[in-house]
Amino acid sequence: MLEIAHGAARAVIAPEGAGLKSYEIGGVPYVETYDDEPPMGSGAVLVPWPNRVAGGRWVLDGEEQQLEIGEPARGNAIHGLVRRAIWGTVEHTGSLISLETPVAGLGWPVELRTTITYALDENGLSVSHGVTNVGDKRTPFGVGTHPYPRAGASATDETSLSLAATTVLPVDAQTMIPNGPATPVEGTEYDFRVARLLEGVQLDTAFGGCEPVDGLVRHVLKGPAGGVEVWADPDFKWVQVYTPDNFPGRGRAVAIEPMTCPPDALNSGVDLLWLEPGESWAGRWGLRPLS
C-alpha cells in the first residue's frame, strides 16, 4: 500500500487500481475502508468510462466495439478498465503521490494514458485525474470515481445528504441501463438539493445536472459526529449515489461517485468527453472534512 500524510491527516492508496483505501484525520475516518480486496467498488478509479455500458457494445466511427463484460449477471461492461491495473509511480512525496497506467485492449480501440494524483493539505484530500490520447484517432471517454465518504464517526443512518444534482436518470431495474432521459428532481423523492436524512433511504441512482457553486460541484454528508464535502470540477456533471446495507465491517454505507457522464454514455453520447490524438484532459475532485 502507498501512504501519504499531512499533519494529522493520512491517506492510503492501493497500487492495484490506484484506488483510495483510507483517509482519516487524527484517527477519524472520512471514507469507508477495507481489509484486503476492495468491496463494492470501494475507492475505484473509473476510466475510460464510469458505470455501465449496455452489453459492453458501442460504436466508434461506424465500427462496433465489444468491451469486456465485467458484470456477467446483467451482461454489462462496468466501471472502465483500470481497476485491476498495477499503476506505476510517477512521484511520491510526503503528502502527494502521482500514479499512471496505459488504457488499452479489452475492447477499447484507442490507446490512452491516464494519471491520478492524490494530495493532502490543510483543506483536505484532492484527487487530480489526467487522460491523454496516445492513439491515432479521436476518441470519447468518461471519468469517474467510487468513494464511500463518511461523516466522521457518525453512523450512516444518522447522516444527512445534500446533492448538487437537479435531475435524476431513470434506469431499467434489471439491467441498470437508462431507459429514458433525465428528468427534474423537483417534487420527487430524488430531490436532495436540501439535505435529507439517510435513514430508510435506498439508492443506486444516477443524478445529473450537477450545478457548481463558487466554481465547484458540491455534495455534502453531515452527521452528529462530523461531516464531509465531496467537491468536484464542473466537468463532473453527474453523481451516482449507492446505499448498500452490507458494506463489510460497517453495514449501512453510502457511495457518492462523481462522474463526467451518465451510465451508458458511450451509446447515448450524453456528456462524453472527446480527445483528438495528442490531446489531454484534466479534472479534479476531493474530500473536505467539515466540523
Side-chain angles (χ1 to χ4, degrees):
M1 294 297 169
L2 304 167
E3 183 175 332
I4 56 175
H6 177 81
R10 175 178 176 270
V12 176
I13 294 90
E16 181 178 358
L20 180 62
K21 185 177 186 295
S22 68
Y23 168 46
E24 61 183 39
I25 300 177
V28 177
Y30 289 95
V31 294
E32 306 292 354
T33 190
Y34 55 88
D35 292 328
D36 299 311
E37 291 296 315
M40 304 178 184
S42 183
V45 179
L46 315 178
V47 177
W49 76 88
N51 214 284
R52 295 169 172 87
V53 179
R57 293 184 295 273
W58 65 289
V59 176
L60 178 62
D61 294 337
E63 295 183 6
E64 184 169 293
Q65 312 295 327
Q66 179 62 61
L67 298 164
E68 179 185 43
I69 301 300
E71 190 181 42
R74 293 188 171 116
N76 298 320
I78 187 168
H79 286 340
L81 300 174
V82 299
R83 290 188 294 158
R84 296 175 185 86
I86 302 300
W87 293 53
T89 301
V90 177
E91 181 181 6
H92 190 182
T93 67
S95 60
L96 177 149
I97 186 164
S98 294
L99 305 165
E100 68 175 3
T101 190
V103 181
L106 300 174
W108 190 259
V110 180
E111 186 175 357
L112 304 172
R113 181 176 62 86
T114 189
T115 61
I116 191 167
T117 299
Y118 293 92
L120 289 170
D121 62 21
E122 59 276 7
N123 295 314
L125 174 69
S126 64
V127 186
S128 302
H129 296 265
V131 180
T132 299
N133 183 347
V134 296
D136 59 3
K137 61 181 177 180
R138 184 173 179 251
T139 186
F141 72 99
V143 172
T145 187
H146 206 303
Y148 286 81
R150 286 183 57 151
S154 305
T156 299
D157 281 339
E158 295 178 334
T159 64
S160 295
L161 170 67
S162 63
L163 299 175
T166 59
T167 65
V168 62
L169 187 66
V171 297
D172 180 273
Q174 299 302 314
T175 65
M176 297 301 290
I177 296 297
N179 59 6
T183 59
V185 297
E186 186 172 1
T188 75
E189 63 181 310
Y190 298 106
D191 192 347
F192 287 87
R193 292 174 299 170
V194 175
R196 288 173 50 195
L197 191 67
L198 281 177
E199 183 177 10
V201 171
Q202 298 287 338
L203 296 170
D204 192 357
T205 307
F207 295 86
C210 293
E211 296 182 348
V213 174
D214 297 328
L216 294 173
V217 171
R218 302 177 190 273
H219 315 294
V220 176
L221 274 181
K222 294 199 78 171
V228 63
E229 177 184 79
V230 182
W231 59 265
D233 282 343
D235 273 351
F236 290 89
K237 299 175 182 178
W238 294 83
V239 63
Q240 182 86 11
V241 181
Y242 176 44
T243 56
D245 293 325
N246 58 341
F247 193 96
R250 172 70 162 169
R252 279 277 282 170
V254 56
I256 301 175
E257 310 167 38
M259 307 184 300
T260 61
C261 59
D264 206 32
L266 288 174
N267 286 305
S268 71
V270 174
D271 288 331
L272 282 177
L273 301 167
W274 286 82
L275 288 175
E276 298 286 347
E279 286 187 338
S280 296
W281 170 90
R284 303 171 307 139
W285 66 279
L287 298 167
R288 184 172 68 90
L290 306 172
S291 56

